[in-house]
């Protein structure tokens, strides 16, 4: 009987040790997950957060927490405030992603300590004290930006035909029609509002150049990438590589996440 009791006690002790070890492994996994940066994505003009619907699940499949900001596009200050709220609501560090106009937003909003790195996707990257409208004046205007429709309230949008031809020419026509219907018009005055800081001066940056962009001159995008010292990827896409080449865009963001742990 004594031998039997000793055997039981040894088995209980072994089980307890195994449980403690398993719990420790679980805690380690939880700590690793907590240490991985979240991704906050800032959409551009003529779009909303759904513009990133093809990239988000690719990031989530890798265990990355993703938040897409919904910009009002009423002013730079409003969009910066929305982005800062999203950053502050994350549990730890943040990889901040901006597309197009969203690049100006992350340049202003991303200066804080919670931001680990920046990813610019066919995006403006102004210096402190610059307005979006100031950028690239020495280059011919991109074709699409000359075809905006401005309403009586001062908000600019793209007609479905212009969006298909200049914003998303490599996206299927039926999907481009949905993009036109869900686009966010932007207040024209926002393009004249100046940044006060340049977050890229204090954070490592990645940049995706869209080689067939008709909304921002590709050469201007290359100029931005060089000026901010970004790790640069060029894709043969329209202004919306997140729509036409989501896996390639997700890879760049994941590279930033991996480098920012």
């Amino acid at each position: 009987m004594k031998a039997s009791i000793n055997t039981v006690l040894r088995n209980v002790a072994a089980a307890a040790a195994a449980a403690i070890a398993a719990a420790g492994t679980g805690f380690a996994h939880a700590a690793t997950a907590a240490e991985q940066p979240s991704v906050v994505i800032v959409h551009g003009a003529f779009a909303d957060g759904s513009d990133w619907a093809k990239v988000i699940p690719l990031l989530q499949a890798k265990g990355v927490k993703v938040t897409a900001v919904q910009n009002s596009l009423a002013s730079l200050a409003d969009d910066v405030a929305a982005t800062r709220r999203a950053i502050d609501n994350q549990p730890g560090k943040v990889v901040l992603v901006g597309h197009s106009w969203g690049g100006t937003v992350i340049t202003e909003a991303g200066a804080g300590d919670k931001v680990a790195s920046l990813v610019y996707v066919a995006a403006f990257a102004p210096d402190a004290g610059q307005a979006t409208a100031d950028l690239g004046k020495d280059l011919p205007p991109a074709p699409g930006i000359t075809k905006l429709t401005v309403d009586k309230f001062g908000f600019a949008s793209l007609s479905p035909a212009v969006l298909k031809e200049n914003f998303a020419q490599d996206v299927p026509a039926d999907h481009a029609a949905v993009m036109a219907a869900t686009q966010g018009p932007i207040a024209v005055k926002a393009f004249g509002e100046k940044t006060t800081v340049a977050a890229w001066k204090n954070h490592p940056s990645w940049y995706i150049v869209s080689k067939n962009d008709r909304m921002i001159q590709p050469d201007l995008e290359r100029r931005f990438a060089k000026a901010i010292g970004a790790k640069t990827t060029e894709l043969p896409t329209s202004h919306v590589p997140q729509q036409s080449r989501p896996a390639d865009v997700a890879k760049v963001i994941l590279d930033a996440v991996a480098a920012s742990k």
Side-chain angles (χ1 to χ4, degrees):
M1 177 66 73
K2 183 181 293 186
S4 177
I5 291 173
N6 287 339
T7 300
V8 170
L9 291 175
R10 282 197 299 271
N11 290 341
V12 170
I20 292 170
T25 301
F27 291 144
H29 288 163
T32 300
E35 290 167 4
Q36 178 172 260
S38 303
V39 169
V40 172
I41 300 174
V42 183
H43 67 80
F46 321 119
D48 68 2
S50 68
D51 196 38
W52 286 83
K54 294 181 180 179
V55 172
I56 290 171
L58 301 178
L59 302 178
Q60 291 174 331
K62 297 297 184 180
V64 178
K65 182 179 184 293
V66 185
T67 298
V69 176
Q70 295 290 352
N71 288 325
S72 72
L73 303 176
S75 70
L76 177 59
D78 285 348
D79 292 352
V80 167
T83 300
R84 285 176 174 162
R85 287 194 300 272
I87 293 168
D88 289 345
N89 285 334
Q90 304 311 308
K93 292 286 188 177
V94 169
V95 172
L96 189 58
V97 182
H99 172 243
S100 192
W101 161 255
T104 299
V105 177
I106 69 172
T107 296
E108 178 77 10
D113 292 339
K114 285 200 68 169
V115 174
S117 56
L118 306 165
V119 180
Y120 291 82
V121 181
F124 295 105
D127 202 344
Q130 288 186 314
T132 304
D134 296 334
L135 306 174
K137 284 186 173 181
D138 58 323
L139 295 173
I145 207 67
T146 66
K147 300 177 181 179
L148 304 181
T149 299
V150 181
D151 66 20
K152 65 181 181 181
F153 304 105
F155 280 76
S157 61
L158 299 173
S159 72
V162 170
L163 185 142
K164 172 55 185 166
E165 181 182 353
N166 296 284
F167 192 83
Q169 67 267 27
D170 54 357
V171 172
D174 57 345
H175 187 63
V178 173
M179 293 172 64
T182 58
Q183 70 176 291
I186 186 168
V188 174
K189 68 179 180 64
F191 292 126
E193 294 170 348
K194 295 182 178 182
T195 58
T196 63
V197 295
W200 48 263
K201 290 185 176 180
N202 298 310
H203 299 299
S205 299
W206 281 252
Y207 199 106
I208 295 176
V209 173
S210 292
K211 295 169 70 173
N212 301 319
D213 203 320
R214 294 174 62 84
M215 297 301 298
I216 301 176
Q217 285 285 7
D219 282 343
L220 181 57
E221 295 178 10
R222 295 183 182 102
R223 186 184 297 177
F224 290 142
K226 182 178 180 181
I228 69 177
K231 299 175 180 67
T232 304
T233 299
E234 295 208 6
L235 297 177
T237 63
S238 70
H239 189 54
V240 286
Q242 65 271 28
Q243 296 276 5
S244 58
R245 297 282 287 266
D248 292 320
V249 174
K251 181 182 183 303
V252 172
I253 297 172
L254 290 169
D255 287 347
V257 170
S260 301
K261 289 181 179 179

